[in-house]
Amino acid sequence: MPTTSYADQFAAALAAGEGPAWLPALRERAFARFHALGFPTTRDEDWHFTSVTPIAERTFKAIRPAATTLTLADLEAHLLDPDWHRLVFVNGRLEPALSTFAGLPAEVQVSTLSEALREQPEWVQKHLGTLAAFDTAAFTALNTAFMQDGVVVRVPKGEVVEVALHILHVTDAQAQGAAIHPRLLVVAEPLAQLTLVESHVAVGAPSYLVNAVAEISVANGARVDHYKLQRESAEAYHVGTVQVTQGRDSIYHSFSFAEGAALSRTNVYTKLAGTGSEARLNGLYVLDGAQHADHQTFVEHLAEACASRELYKGILDGESHGVFNGKVYVDPVAQRTDGKQTNKALILSEKARVDTKPQLEIFADDVKCTHGATVGRLEQLPLFYLKSRGIGAENARALLTYAFAAEVLETIEVDALRVTLEKAIFERFTHHRMD
Amino acid sequence: MLTITDLHASAGGKEILKGISLTINAGEVHAIMGPNGSGKSTLAQVIAGHPGYEVTGGSIAYEGQDLLDLEAEERAQAGVFLAFQYPVEIPGVTNAYFLRAAYNELRKARGEDEVDPIEFLDVMEEKLKVVEMDASFMQRSVNAGFSGGEKKRNEILQMAVLDPKLAVLDETDSGLDIDALRIVAEGVNKLKKPTNATIVVTHYQRLLNYIVPDFVHVLAGGRIVRSGGKELALELEAKGYDWLLEPAGV
């Protein structure tokens, strides 16, 4: 698909750009790659079930947002836990007055991308764009070409960050028609630990494109728990790619929650590059109306004795369309691989639809790898059980729909987040408060 | 209270109940016994309104109403309770929430006010004693990860909360060790009143040592082939079912 409409914007951005000399070169490479690849089409295997025509046929504008008038009170529902360390971006711009991360251990570096580029350009150069390859990924290339104010997090060796770091991206009417390209770089050095919550929310119902890229390095013995909440405006488009590289005995846990956007694509890719490393990729998506949500995971087992666990669940109502594509690659050296992937979808309406495609490529022989996918409606027996207790059909359906989601929400280890999502899903389906 | 007349029911086009007639009055305990495949669990589930069975003939009158005309939830609201042989697990929904939701549905159906979670705690305190369970039980998800014994006790706990007029216990003794069996049976006995009735569906006589029936009916091939008093259960224990099946042509 044509990409020329972004060429003028790119030239302007490049001319106005700051930062070290290598950065414009990286941007130019990325834009050239984006131009060559074009937006993906359904002829691309990775995009077979998802047409990005609504994104490709519009030209979303780069914006220079003014300081926001939103207050913490306006964002209360999105803060989740006020005690977390917090960086708030509104329309792609960091809002220091809404942010609070002074309580982080002094050794932990959290800064905006532009600060990091000023203060430690060589360190940034070593990592930025090296984990999230854009050779074959047009949206990642586009992000790299246009990335503005991102976040850089460096957790030094052995440092354990006890309180979660929340990166909250808010979009409002100022972002109407805009493209926002958030960038996140996280480096957890050996034995470091970090819990990261990444939220994408909107105030009102603007139409915009968020094209987010996160690069996360989890070094030997380190652990990163990464929760991503996609609660964009119902008129918005969201493409998000998380690219992780894991060292020996490292742990990366991802939970991806999606209920917003007209069209969304969420990629979580991890490379198990060190022996004994573990990845858990879970997710829940809840769709209605004409929403389309596509989740793709890719676990590369590149070392011995690594474990991967995946559980994705979807609840689909209206005429919504869900896609799950779970890829697992087991390298010839990755003996004693232990992989399990489960994907379940619950269909609530006649017209909702799910396409699911597990892909296993296994080149080692001492491997335990399983996958299972189910797509179905609520079962008769549990409905009868609830009805036999006097609970009417509608309430019984609501409770069982919630129970379907609860099985995966239970795996969220951050209490405030789990409770928030449990309540939200419970109330969404039962129209009752959970108490 | 309950009058079943020439009841026929089938599942998947196969007839399972082939003409059951049975009358149950308030204050009575009836045991339904029979070999595997005789239709005794089907009878229990048809009374409760299981959607997997089609009633092809006959009638069930309950408290002056046509029971077969009611949805499963309406039957429960009218005082019919089925203790499941295989209780269903509901992850993420606490026992406390579930029991209160059910309790309030029944109150609403009777035109009474709903109780809030605090008031319901008082209700539960007394009910938990019936099945010798502690309060921590209330915060666990319904039946999820419960042992076989805990699931059956949870069924009796639900029965205690819902206080049915007609309780149907479907193989409540299956999979229970002797202690759990005693607790479950004592729970049922504590809930017995002159104004309610109980149907105990079981394969074995063992449960009937604890829950003593007024009447015993033997089901075979979808029909009642013998009815009698509690001594019939003892006779079955001694002689098995075969002596009844052959004369009945099953």
Side-chain angles (χ1 to χ4, degrees):
Chain A
M1 286 192 198
T3 57
T4 43
S5 50
Y6 288 97
D8 292 345
Q9 284 191 41
F10 180 69
L14 203 60
E18 298 165 4
W22 56 264
L23 185 61
L26 174 66
R27 291 188 190 279
E28 287 198 58
R29 276 207 314 282
F31 191 75
R33 198 62 204 139
F34 167 69
H35 193 65
L37 289 167
F39 283 107
T41 72
T42 52
R43 290 187 299 278
D44 294 300
E45 199 188 348
D46 277 357
W47 294 83
H48 186 62
F49 298 109
T50 297
S51 166
V52 299
T53 304
I55 296 173
E57 71 188 6
R58 280 172 66 170
T59 303
F60 294 92
K61 302 276 187 264
I63 54 167
R64 293 199 162 272
T68 188
T69 53
L70 291 173
T71 64
L72 278 182
D74 297 324
L75 301 177
E76 199 185 350
H78 301 301
L79 298 181
L80 302 171
D81 185 337
D83 293 337
W84 290 344
H85 309 298
R86 181 173 72 229
L87 285 125
V88 179
F89 289 80
V90 180
N91 303 320
R93 169 195 165 118
L94 178 70
E95 295 290 346
L98 301 176
S99 303
T100 166
F101 54 102
L104 278 164
E107 297 75 15
V108 177
Q109 296 171 27
V110 174
S111 53
T112 61
L113 181 58
S114 36
E115 276 170 3
L117 285 166
R118 270 198 308 274
E119 287 161 18
Q120 39 182 344
E122 284 161 22
W123 185 87
V124 175
Q125 184 182 15
K126 207 169 87 185
H127 294 95
L128 189 71
T130 58
L131 301 177
F134 53 72
D135 304 353
T136 59
F139 281 100
T140 300
L142 188 63
N143 174 289
T144 307
F146 281 98
M147 58 188 170
Q148 291 293 325
D149 223 357
V151 180
V152 175
V153 181
R154 179 181 183 180
V155 188
K157 187 174 177 181
E159 193 68 47
V160 176
V161 184
E162 303 280 355
V163 178
L165 172 62
H166 187 194
I167 300 172
L168 173 58
H169 291 279
V170 184
T171 315
D172 69 6
Q174 238 197 112
Q176 176 64 34
I180 295 167
H181 302 277
R183 186 82 174 201
L184 172 62
L185 170 63
V186 175
V187 177
E189 294 184 353
L191 301 169
Q193 291 188 24
L194 176 71
T195 298
L196 192 68
V197 181
E198 178 191 347
S199 306
H200 298 267
V201 306
V203 174
S207 180
Y208 55 87
L209 167 67
V210 163
N211 175 32
V213 172
E215 299 177 87
I216 301 176
S217 166
V218 191
N220 294 349
R223 171 171 178 163
V224 173
D225 290 80
H226 181 193
Y227 296 92
K228 180 177 171 181
L229 279 65
Q230 189 273 94
R231 305 172 107 172
E232 303 278 17
S233 147
E235 305 296 323
Y237 304 94
H238 179 101
V239 180
T241 296
V242 179
Q243 180 79 62
V244 185
T245 300
Q246 298 186 236
R248 179 165 44 80
D249 297 325
S250 67
I251 296 174
Y252 174 70
H253 283 183
S254 151
F255 191 100
S256 188
F257 174 75
E259 66 171 356
L263 169 62
S264 69
R265 167 67 174 252
T266 305
N267 301 319
V268 181
Y269 303 148
T270 189
K271 288 184 164 71
L272 295 162
T275 307
S277 53
E278 175 199 314
R280 187 176 79 191
L281 313 182
N282 288 356
L284 173 69
Y285 58 93
V286 187
L287 307 178
D288 200 352
Q291 283 182 292
H292 179 107
D294 180 346
H295 288 81
Q296 186 176 76
T297 62
F298 186 24
V299 179
E300 291 177 81
H301 282 263
L302 303 176
E304 275 193 61
C306 296
S308 60
R309 289 286 177 276
E310 291 185 66
L311 173 61
Y312 268 78
K313 287 193 152 192
I315 301 174
L316 299 101
D317 205 343
E319 300 176 5
S320 63
H321 185 189
V323 180
F324 177 79
N325 179 197
K327 295 202 274 189
V328 177
Y329 168 83
V330 180
D331 193 85
V333 304
Q335 299 297 352
R336 292 183 291 134
T337 284
D338 178 5
K340 186 177 181 193
Q341 180 189 100
T342 309
N343 168 233
K344 295 181 183 176
L346 175 61
I347 308 269
L348 300 179
S349 64
E350 289 302 318
K351 290 188 171 169
R353 189 158 78 87
V354 170
D355 289 291
T356 174
K357 189 167 91 166
Q359 276 175 276
L360 273 61
E361 285 186 273
I362 300 172
F363 297 102
D365 45 29
D366 181 10
V367 165
K368 197 165 70 183
C369 258
T370 63
H371 68 86
T374 59
V375 177
R377 295 171 190 282
L378 289 172
E379 288 174 38
Q380 284 298 320
L381 183 65
L383 277 172
F384 171 55
Y385 187 65
L386 268 64
K387 289 167 77 174
S388 77
R389 294 333 184 217
I391 296 171
E394 199 179 321
N395 275 341
R397 289 179 173 281
L399 274 177
L400 291 173
T401 303
Y402 167 71
F404 177 84
E407 192 199 21
V408 66
L409 291 175
E410 262 171 20
T411 66
I412 296 176
E413 291 173 49
V414 178
D415 292 345
L417 184 59
R418 187 186 59 253
V419 169
T420 297
L421 291 181
E422 283 176 348
K423 281 186 173 168
I425 300 298
F426 188 86
E427 285 163 22
R428 174 176 177 141
F429 290 108
T430 66
H431 311 293
H432 285 109
R433 283 177 55 86
M434 184 185 212
D435 40 27
Chain B
M1 178 181 287
L2 186 78
T3 308
I4 301 174
T5 310
D6 195 26
L7 184 69
H8 291 253
S10 58
K14 184 172 179 284
E15 189 170 51
I16 300 172
L17 300 184
K18 299 174 180 171
I20 303 265
S21 295
L22 187 62
T23 299
I24 293 171
N25 299 304
E28 294 177 352
V29 176
H30 289 245
I32 309 278
M33 301 186 70
N36 292 331
S38 60
K40 55 190 192 300
S41 277
T42 299
L43 176 61
Q45 293 183 323
V46 166
I47 292 171
H50 191 297
Y53 298 97
E54 190 193 351
V55 174
T56 53
S59 65
I60 306 180
Y62 166 78
E63 298 270 277
Q65 299 177 78
D66 179 356
L67 193 69
L68 298 174
D69 227 22
L70 304 180
E71 294 292 327
E73 62 269 34
E74 294 169 324
R75 298 183 198 196
Q77 289 160 9
V80 176
F81 179 86
L82 172 65
F84 278 51
Q85 183 177 3
Y86 303 108
V88 173
E89 300 190 6
I90 312 173
V93 177
T94 62
N95 241 348
Y97 182 89
F98 177 60
L99 283 166
R100 188 166 61 88
Y103 185 71
N104 278 333
E105 291 286 352
L106 267 59
R107 288 181 66 91
K108 270 194 290 186
R110 291 195 298 258
E112 296 166 10
D113 287 341
E114 296 185 39
V115 300
D116 66 31
I118 307 297
E119 293 167 320
F120 191 63
L121 281 179
D122 292 338
V123 176
M124 285 314 300
E125 196 177 347
E126 170 206 345
K127 304 296 184 187
L128 283 162
K129 287 182 193 149
V130 172
V131 281
E132 300 180 25
M133 287 171 137
D134 67 72
S136 68
F137 208 69
M138 298 300 290
Q139 296 314 317
R140 292 171 63 185
S141 294
V142 180
N143 295 327
F146 283 27
S147 70
E150 286 175 331
K151 283 183 180 171
K152 296 301 175 74
R153 277 154 76 178
N154 208 22
E155 293 294 286
I156 305 308
L157 177 64
Q158 292 174 35
M159 177 177 157
V161 171
L162 301 179
D163 190 21
K165 286 184 200 150
L166 175 67
V168 184
L169 311 180
D170 186 9
E171 308 239 6
T172 294
D173 50 338
S174 68
L176 291 189
D177 63 30
I178 196 75
D179 291 325
L181 182 71
R182 180 188 54 78
I183 292 169
V184 163
E186 283 177 0
V188 172
N189 289 334
K190 284 178 204 159
L191 298 171
K192 194 178 173 210
K193 292 189 287 198
T195 51
N196 62 23
T198 309
I199 298 175
V200 182
V201 173
T202 181
H203 187 84
Y204 301 104
Q205 188 267 340
R206 188 177 70 154
L207 179 64
L208 305 180
N209 289 334
Y210 297 92
I211 304 172
V212 179
D214 300 300
F215 301 94
V216 174
H217 312 277
V218 180
L219 219 64
R223 292 188 183 89
I224 292 176
V225 295
R226 178 72 64 103
S227 292
K230 63 186 175 200
E231 65 287 348
L232 178 56
L234 295 169
E235 199 175 351
L236 289 167
E237 180 76 358
K239 294 162 71 176
Y241 285 110
D242 286 350
W243 63 283
L244 280 174
L245 304 188
E246 282 160 31
V250 177

